[in-house]
Amino acid sequence: MLRSIIIAELERETKIIQHLIKEMPAETLNYKPAENMRTTKELLDYLVVCTLGVFVDNYCNQDQEKAKEEKAKIYKELEGVEDKDYVAAMEWQLNKVKYYLSQISDEDLAKPYKLFWGEERALGHALLLSPVKYLTAYKQQLFLYIKMNGKADINTYDCWLGIKKPVS
């Protein structure tokens, strides 16, 4: 049950982000709201990998060296993503997450896991909490970047449902 909830939430957020990417004007990629903030391209580069860390750590049984090697493989697979389709890269990430989640036993989902900020949760809870929060937060940032870059016709429906507002 927990696996299906994790997957459903990640699929939902991925679908919405993919919708926002399709709505984004190409010139938005270089947009940077302030000097100390990411460009839209940097944000997208992060969005296509941000959910993988906690899954990779547990796929590698929290062996940091093995996890480092696995993450290096992931980044190698994504080299040149700027020449690829970010919509497809989001789908790629979701499929990777599904694979890693399938490799974690039900028993391991109940084991304690320390989140990067020090809080400890059951691994299953952490897998639901962290990746979904990351996608939701950075989705909102992407929405705002697009909106601030002059795309006036996107709204709450785009940001929270991944659809254009229905015409009444």
Side-chain angles (χ1 to χ4, degrees):
M1 170 91 168
L2 181 58
R3 279 178 212 282
S4 61
I5 292 169
I6 292 168
I7 294 299
E9 289 304 310
L10 293 172
E11 285 175 338
R12 180 179 183 280
E13 291 302 321
T14 296
K15 174 187 147 288
I16 295 168
I17 292 165
Q18 289 171 318
H19 169 77
L20 290 173
I21 292 167
K22 291 174 189 173
E23 290 292 314
M24 184 179 72
E27 61 273 10
T28 306
L29 279 177
N30 294 320
Y31 178 69
K32 186 174 189 170
E35 190 54 41
N36 62 344
M37 295 179 75
R38 293 178 171 139
T39 64
T40 306
K41 183 197 174 320
E42 290 167 336
L43 175 60
L44 288 169
D45 288 343
Y46 185 67
L47 264 168
V48 301
V49 296
C50 70
T51 66
L52 290 170
V54 68
F55 288 98
V56 169
D57 288 346
N58 287 284
Y59 172 72
C60 297
N61 294 314
Q62 298 191 38
D63 175 333
Q64 292 306 305
E65 196 55 41
K66 187 176 173 186
K68 187 176 177 181
E69 290 169 16
E70 187 69 19
K71 288 174 187 176
K73 282 193 257 178
I74 287 168
Y75 287 114
K76 183 81 172 153
E77 286 180 51
L78 282 171
E79 275 182 7
V81 76
E82 65 273 0
D83 301 323
K84 296 180 188 173
D85 181 359
Y86 281 107
V87 171
M90 288 299 299
E91 195 68 30
W92 174 87
Q93 175 181 222
L94 180 61
N95 289 329
K96 281 287 205 193
V97 163
K98 287 177 179 179
Y99 169 75
Y100 290 129
L101 184 57
S102 75
Q103 302 302 303
I104 300 170
S105 70
D106 289 339
E107 182 181 283
D108 284 345
L109 287 175
K111 288 182 180 176
Y113 177 79
K114 188 176 273 189
L115 295 155
F116 80 87
W117 57 86
E119 191 175 334
E120 196 171 279
R121 300 281 173 103
L123 175 60
H125 189 193
L127 292 175
L128 177 61
L129 198 65
S130 298
V132 173
K133 280 186 175 184
Y134 300 156
L135 286 182
T136 303
Y138 293 115
K139 167 195 73 180
Q140 183 68 36
Q141 187 177 1
L142 179 62
F143 171 80
L144 292 171
Y145 276 31
I146 295 168
K147 192 102 167 150
M148 290 186 301
N149 213 22
K151 180 90 170 146
D153 68 333
I154 63 170
N155 59 44
T156 302
Y157 284 86
D158 295 281
C159 186
W160 294 106
L161 301 174
I163 62 171
K164 296 308 291 172
K165 184 177 181 179
V167 179
S168 317

